[in-house]
Amino acid sequence: MPRNPVDTRQSLYLAGLRRFASEGWHSARIRDIVADAGQGNDSAINYHFGSRRGLLAEILGRGVARMEAQRREDLRRWRTHPPDLAEAVRAVVAPLAALLADEEGRCTLRVIAQVGPLTEVGRTITAGPVAGTALQDQIEILVSEAARRCGPDMARHRVRQLVVAVTSELAVRAESGPGTFPSHEEYVADLVDWMAGGLSRPRVAPTAP
């Protein structure tokens, strides 16, 4: 009996996710991903995802989609109770940290961290898989809140730093696995606290050489 194309796509997705997480999305070999998925044709990735980058986009898109419901709920609440800076940071960070709860989420975090350093607020962060999502709206609100302390240009710069730092830190946590100190609740609270503290600082005047 021919294999269901939906099952094949899912097997390739999971195999690619694991290989991208452990070996890097640039370095993982397509033939290994295809073999892990129980397929015999190296063109299977191109057929189902278009390319290696297409598989990466699928991984990032599914990760963003997993967080969408929680983010939409926060946005709904904010219509009547606008967030302060700490709440805006929590709303961006906590759904990402929730991905630590299962293997697929932990692998997704390790892949997200690989593209985190390439982000740029106003372009790559709010484009691609993030475009039109609640995360895009939350990031714009976060930039607006931070801009009250340090101006719009510095706010965008600092939010980019936050994205890079948070995604990298969560990838380390994901690799460590469940049961790592501190507890998940304390870990997230502490992460949000120091990220909000950094964003809330006034702009620092450069020192004379």
Side-chain angles (χ1 to χ4, degrees):
M1 178 182 294
R3 190 166 183 175
N4 188 323
V6 175
D7 293 340
T8 299
R9 180 182 174 88
Q10 179 66 5
S11 295
L12 288 166
Y13 165 79
L14 291 173
L17 173 63
R18 294 187 183 104
R19 287 281 180 175
F20 280 12
S22 61
E23 300 172 10
W25 80 272
H26 273 300
S27 303
R29 299 194 307 176
I30 294 299
R31 68 178 62 178
D32 291 335
I33 295 172
V34 171
D36 290 348
Q39 300 297 301
N41 190 337
D42 288 356
S43 66
I45 293 294
N46 288 342
Y47 177 80
H48 286 279
F49 302 101
S51 64
R52 177 189 298 269
R53 284 185 175 272
L55 176 55
L56 174 65
E58 179 81 7
I59 291 169
L60 299 176
R62 289 200 194 189
V64 170
R66 283 188 61 176
M67 300 179 279
E68 190 72 355
Q70 183 177 348
R71 297 191 187 283
R72 289 289 174 196
E73 176 59 24
D74 284 331
L75 289 174
R76 186 193 64 77
R77 288 191 299 102
W78 292 352
R79 291 174 192 156
T80 52
H81 298 86
D84 59 13
L85 183 61
E87 166 62 9
V89 172
R90 182 211 60 77
V92 169
V93 173
L96 274 166
L99 296 180
L100 291 165
D102 57 72
E103 183 195 6
E104 182 176 346
R106 290 190 292 273
C107 286
T108 299
L109 287 170
R110 293 171 68 185
V111 176
I112 290 173
Q114 296 171 34
V115 299
L118 305 177
T119 56
E120 181 180 333
V121 175
R123 190 165 64 88
T124 55
I125 287 182
T126 50
V130 176
T133 68
L135 176 55
Q136 181 183 46
D137 294 338
Q138 287 180 331
I139 287 174
E140 291 172 352
I141 290 170
L142 184 55
V143 170
S144 177
E145 283 297 310
R148 298 182 184 183
R149 280 80 172 175
C150 60
D153 292 338
M154 184 58 72
R156 283 189 289 271
H157 170 71
R158 287 183 177 176
V159 169
R160 177 192 176 278
Q161 289 180 311
L162 178 146
V163 170
V164 173
V166 166
T167 55
S168 297
E169 168 56 31
L170 288 173
V172 173
R173 179 86 170 182
E175 194 165 1
S176 300
T180 304
F181 175 85
S183 69
H184 179 78
E185 293 74 16
E186 185 178 3
Y187 173 79
V188 174
D190 189 63
L191 190 59
V192 169
D193 183 66
W194 68 266
M195 285 293 176
L199 287 177
S200 66
R201 291 180 295 110
R203 188 165 182 168
V204 179
T207 57

